[in-house]
Amino acid sequence: MTPFVIGGLVLGGIYAISTLGLVLTYTSSRVFNFAQGAISFLLAIVFHELAVGWGWNTALAAVVAVGVAGPLLGLFLWWALFRHLAAAPASVRLVSTVGLWVALPALTRILFVDEEIFDRTGLGPDIPTNYEILGVAVNSNQIIVVVAAALVAVVMTLVLRLTPFGLAVRASVDSPRMAGVVGVNTAAVTAGAWMIGTTLAGIAGLLLVPLRGYTELQFTSLMVASFAGVVIARMHSLVLGFLGSMLIGLLQSLAQSSQGEDLLKLLLPDDGVLIRGVQPSIPFILMIVFLLAYRGLGSESFAVDTRSLADDHLLAAEAGADGRSRLRRMLPALVLVGIVLLLPVGLSPLWEALVAKGLALAVIFLSYVVVTGEGGMISLCQVTFGGIAGAITADLAQNQGMPTLLAVLLAAVVGVPFGLLAALPSLRLGGLYLALATLGFGELVVNTYFQLPSVNNDGSGVRVPRPRRGELSFAGDTAFYYLLVGVFVVVALVVANLKRSTTGLELAAMRSSEPATGTLGISLLRTKLIAFGVSAFLAGLGGGLYVTYTKLSQPAISFYTIIGVGWRAVVVTWGVRSVAGALLAGLTSALFPQLFA
């Protein structure tokens, strides 16, 4: 048991350093940095390039990578991006950091490495030195992590409590306007906080390397585990963030011990899959538990995007002034659909397949139009609904012999209860907190249901037959392509009509102001459940069509939660309240990777 405790403290120490950086940047700027793991990856690669590529002394390379490149990167990001987000709505803040998270690893590979790094050169010696402390065997890398985590926690606490900078940070957080009135340079304080935050991300990255290597996936895991620590910290407490992160590391490590496995076997079915899924799911389980346990989180959510209300007034005015405004609003989508209909004539099979995948994704992306564009709720688990429906479609069509199109429709219906389940946190959470809760829900599904043998099939996935019934066959790529076009048009019309219906007006009212909507007698419970239920059905429909076109269901790969975070960023970029935006987002998500390849 003792080695697992030591391992847990080491892992928790790395989480804690990353969490402290997230807490500091959030409290000073109200921007939650989804790119924390990407920043850690970038600075770790800079260290590797200096220490290994250029042959620098390890200590000097660490000082330059973390002590120079880290603060400069934080200052640049604040100047170029984050200082402009002070009054931005929640979606814009989230998309901005998600965009960084996607872009920074790609930029890192372009600038430094374009292949896998297999060595684990870190701050300690290449071959760790083993010690025995109080009868417990530890190595030099573990000692470095624990000491660094404790040192960072103490220094951060002292800086924020005993220095003028710490006082300025606390004043800026409590009341930015009053801090400015008394002479605090809030811009400089925020810039300094970002410089410290990126530095801490770099430290966490360098400490992670000897344990997990330079694999980008490990830095992503560091990021999402740190999110749970920030939630435990209630977004502002360094002490709670540090202790919560250490708890996460301990529980993850203890879950791998024989005693931990025995306990899990008493609580869970002994099929191995759920037990193996608990260890990576611990951060998300704790995240959801603390989100639901804490009181008053709804009042700490981001401010309402008042621009949405202005847009509603503008559209209403246009509709009242000119009956043709509806046609003008539909024209971009009609033109896009017309182009898509003609594309197979001049496309090769490769590009036709990519456009078809984009159409299936566009059906999924229409779910964002409902839940976020109209309902104003940030959901990061739409991709999960698509994966669940894709897996059910494969099982019904391949294993149960059900007609494929019926299987797709039934799988989408079965996905609705999952949407209602994911909607429960929205009843008391909003903004960023809801986003994190739905992210945790998605990761739980990925680590458990998507790993079942009947779903995962040892990593090879489950085959999905194309629809064929008598003379009517969609087995060919082009025939199924036009089926996807037809489904998208029908679903897009349904979404457009939903926006003009009574339910759509209730969603628009809730998006503008939940308290005001409640005073009008509109049930927020019913409205939120409808939004999540409809969005889950649409995402499930798109997920079933996607796996049917590709003829293979691999939800753990194709519908991984982090992919969905990137999808949401693309939809918001093109227009999360627009049917045409969903179509463009689907096509670009499928086409751009191949174009740039």
Side-chain angles (χ1 to χ4, degrees), residues 152-164:
V152 166
V154 171
V155 171
M156 285 284 293
T157 302
L158 293 177
V159 166
L160 291 180
R161 292 188 177 276
L162 302 179
T163 67

Side-chain angles (χ1 to χ4, degrees), residues 21 33 69 87 121 124-125 186 242 253 260 271 404 412 440 453 468 491 531 574 579 583:
N33 187 14
T121 302
T186 55
F242 181 85
S253 183
D271 60 2
T404 304
R468 184 194 301 269
V491 175
W574 283 110
V579 169
L583 179 56

Side-chain angles (χ1 to χ4, degrees), residues 222-346:
L222 166 69
M223 173 190 71
V224 293
S226 302
F227 291 174
V230 178
V231 168
I232 295 174
R234 291 184 66 98
M235 302 296 182
H236 67 271
S237 172
L238 295 180
V239 174
L240 287 177
F242 181 85
L243 295 177
S245 298
M246 299 298 288
L247 175 64
I248 293 170
L250 276 173
L251 292 178
Q252 280 191 296
S253 183
L254 291 175
Q256 296 178 309
S257 67
S258 58
Q259 295 88 339
E261 291 183 354
D262 291 339
L263 177 61
L264 291 174
K265 289 178 181 179
L266 296 175
L267 302 175
L268 298 172
D270 188 16
D271 60 2
V273 175
L274 293 178
I275 293 177
R276 290 194 301 271
V278 166
Q279 194 266 351
S281 299
I282 285 174
F284 311 106
I285 295 172
L286 289 178
M287 180 192 298
I288 294 175
V289 169
F290 277 91
L291 280 171
L292 297 178
Y294 280 149
R295 299 287 181 181
L297 289 184
S299 62
E300 298 174 10
S301 61
F302 286 109
V304 174
D305 182 6
T306 55
R307 294 179 300 175
S308 63
L309 184 59
D311 292 341
D312 290 340
H313 289 323
L314 178 60
L315 293 178
E318 288 181 352
D322 188 352
R324 294 173 298 174
S325 61
R326 178 180 175 185
L327 178 61
R328 288 200 301 267
R329 294 196 303 273
M330 294 177 59
L331 187 59
L334 293 175
V335 171
L336 281 172
V337 171
I339 294 174
V340 169
L341 282 171
L342 296 175
L343 281 178
V345 177

